[in-house]
Amino acid sequence: METWTVETDDGGGRLEVHSFRPAGLTTANRGPSAAGNPAHNPGGNSTHSTSAKGDPAPVTAPGVVFIHGTLVTDALYRPFARNLSLLLSRPVHCYNRRGRAGSAPQPDDYSVATEIRDLAAVMKATGSEDVVAHSFGGFVALQAAREMPLRRLVTYDAAVSLSGNLNHRWRPELEQAVTEGQLNHAWAHLVQGLATAGPLSYLPLGALRMLSIMSARTNVGAEMRELLPTAVQEMRAVLDADAELADFTELTTPTLMLSGGWSPGYFADTGRQLASAVPAIDFAVVPGQLHEGPIRPGKRLAIRMARFLNGTDGTVRPLSTKRRRR
């Protein structure tokens, strides 16, 4: 794994990037600092901390950029990115979105436009053409596909708001609790509103607050609490970008929208609606997968995505000849 940074286009900000390359692919040259001794990485891979003011040198195959969801960093997705890279024999690049880890904070005027510009910067710096995205990342990727060229796109449980269908998922109490520093209360409202935590999502608020207190003792739980302010901004970005089906009909990027069989049903509902209205989009349910599928062990989901990205999935055909499955 290589760790490096990409400069943003808004005045000196940066995005922390983690790159995975199968053995034999050319390592990017990012200037003199890349030639120094790599830092030790407990995972056994080289880690380079460099500035990507100059773009990486071309590699033997175009890369794939992975966009993570809300309330997390890209660290949880690195095993998935590594598996996907091996399956594709291509580099896969995760990056921390604004407001987390080594990336710049969310700007005062944060919106989906911020995320689209950041994705474009990472794709340019890595020489990538394809995108894989989860949850809020799927929302970003689909919005980006309307504005910039992508070769292929795969989303999993994309959090897209169509005709206001996610408005009732927003809890004003969440933002108020974050403002007042009541993070356990905020976490409980977030979990209940989005219903992405499986059966736990349907527990009473009091029980969820207790779970928040307990989970805060773990590294992941503590990190989620720290990221609650970013989640407020990101949920508002989703609702502010509320769209109609007609807004996506011009999309030409071959896109596979996936949803977990055990994910909240609204993700699948959105995928089916978009696939029915947009010729470039296919939709499928992946049985037995929860909303957090990309961060759980196993290769089943990565295999499904790799087949699509490589054009070897039997359900994927060139747009001019693709037969629709409904």
Side-chain angles (χ1 to χ4, degrees), residues 260-310:
W262 294 342
S263 297
Y266 61 87
F267 291 115
D269 290 343
T270 298
R272 289 190 184 97
Q273 289 182 61
L274 284 169
S276 296
V278 183
I281 297 177
D282 266 326
F283 169 76
V285 170
V286 185
Q289 293 286 327
L290 294 162
H291 175 67
E292 63 266 28
I295 65 177
R296 285 184 166 262
K299 295 184 178 180
R300 181 180 179 186
L301 194 55
I303 290 171
R304 185 68 178 270
M305 293 181 177
R307 286 174 177 168
F308 178 82
L309 293 174
N310 277 346

Side-chain angles (χ1 to χ4, degrees), residues 96-111:
N96 277 311
R97 294 190 293 98
R98 301 286 186 114
R100 61 231 332 127
S103 293
Q106 291 176 331
D108 292 338
D109 62 348
Y110 173 83
S111 70

